[in-house]
Amino acid sequence: MPADAPFFSVEGLAKHFGGVHAVQGLSFTLSRGEIVGLIGPNGSGKTTTINMVTGALKPDEGAIVVEGADMARSPAHLYARRGVARTFQVPRLFRRMTVLENLMVPALSDATARHGPAEERAREVLGFLRLDHLADDYARSLSGGQQKLLELGRALMLKPRLLLLDEPFAGVHPRLLEQIAEHIRTLNRDGHTIVLVDHNLEAIQSVVQRVMVMARGRKIADGAAAEVLQDPEVVRAYTGTRVH
């Protein structure tokens, strides 16, 4: 790839569910090491977009290019091999497994992986997330914020270059919310490219510089966070009122 080529790009992405146009004509690019907020009112198509660009859903139209390769028709595990990882709105943990075991599952999904290095990596991730004291606790015993952290940890076990985080701040105690935000900032400083989806605009602004806004399945704004959040069309999408 040329040095100035986008690390990740989406062109003309569309997804329909019957007569519902969940995403229409969506295009954007991400540079290596960029951190971007993806926001919009409920039903705007954000999670559908995340599902498509991680292989959970196949688009009806459009291209998804990761480091020069069009992945639009690829299954989720091939996205993971390309360094694309995601979290979910509701953490999908193995509730009857320990915190440490939950982290080891992604690492051991590779047939060539060995138990020792996988456990060592898992303990490193637990230390980074400040969950090492909970390593032997069952996942079902964690608080909502701790579950969000563990979900992030499972994504990190894949050693991703691109992280897509779906509602990492939702339902989280303010103390843990700031901890999650600081982990996201650290990961970005370490070179991870990050897309952050959330309704907490204050938290979004504390982490990102660029914001993309979706409404009714389309991108309606893309730019510096401070400017985009003052855009009359964005305010109207959120409030239903016209700004003069």
Side-chain angles (χ1 to χ4, degrees), residues 50-241:
I50 296 298
N51 286 338
M52 285 191 287
V53 302
T54 56
L57 279 177
K58 288 185 171 53
D60 296 322
E61 302 172 24
I64 303 168
V65 180
V66 183
E67 295 185 311
D70 187 356
M71 304 284 291
R73 302 297 178 267
S74 300
H77 72 275
L78 292 184
Y79 279 87
R81 287 183 185 175
R82 281 273 177 180
V84 179
R86 57 89 55 90
T87 64
F88 295 86
Q89 289 182 14
V90 178
R92 299 186 178 185
L93 306 176
F94 297 105
R95 295 175 57 80
R96 297 184 180 182
M97 296 174 68
T98 68
V99 168
L100 181 64
E101 289 167 344
N102 265 272
L103 284 183
M104 292 178 65
V105 168
L108 294 175
S109 62
D110 183 343
T112 64
R114 291 180 296 142
H115 188 279
E119 181 174 345
E120 182 178 353
R121 166 71 177 162
R123 292 192 182 278
E124 289 175 358
V125 170
L126 284 177
F128 168 69
L129 296 174
R130 301 176 212 163
L131 293 176
D132 39 343
H133 63 294
L134 299 174
D136 297 323
D137 288 11
Y138 288 105
R140 63 172 180 260
S141 70
L142 301 183
S143 70
Q146 290 168 339
Q147 289 186 28
K148 296 275 188 176
L149 284 169
L150 181 54
E151 178 94 334
L152 174 59
R154 294 207 309 174
L156 293 178
M157 289 297 294
L158 297 172
K159 300 183 179 179
R161 294 187 296 279
L162 171 60
L163 268 171
L164 299 110
L165 309 179
D166 197 357
E167 302 274 6
F169 305 127
V172 174
H173 186 278
R175 181 178 59 82
L176 273 178
L177 187 152
E178 177 51 38
Q179 184 178 330
I180 292 171
E182 183 54 40
H183 288 321
I184 293 170
R185 295 186 197 103
T186 300
L187 289 167
N188 183 238
R189 287 194 296 268
D190 289 346
H192 291 78
T193 305
I194 298 173
V195 176
L196 178 59
V197 177
D198 211 276
H199 288 287
N200 188 327
L201 299 185
E202 183 178 349
I204 286 274
Q205 289 183 84
S206 75
V207 174
V208 310
Q209 293 182 320
R210 173 187 167 196
V211 168
M212 296 187 291
V213 187
M214 293 184 69
R216 301 174 299 281
R218 297 184 180 277
K219 186 178 74 173
I220 63 170
D222 186 350
E227 296 175 7
V228 165
L229 294 175
Q230 297 299 317
D231 186 303
E233 188 175 0
V234 173
V235 175
R236 187 162 59 250
Y238 269 97
T239 67
T241 58

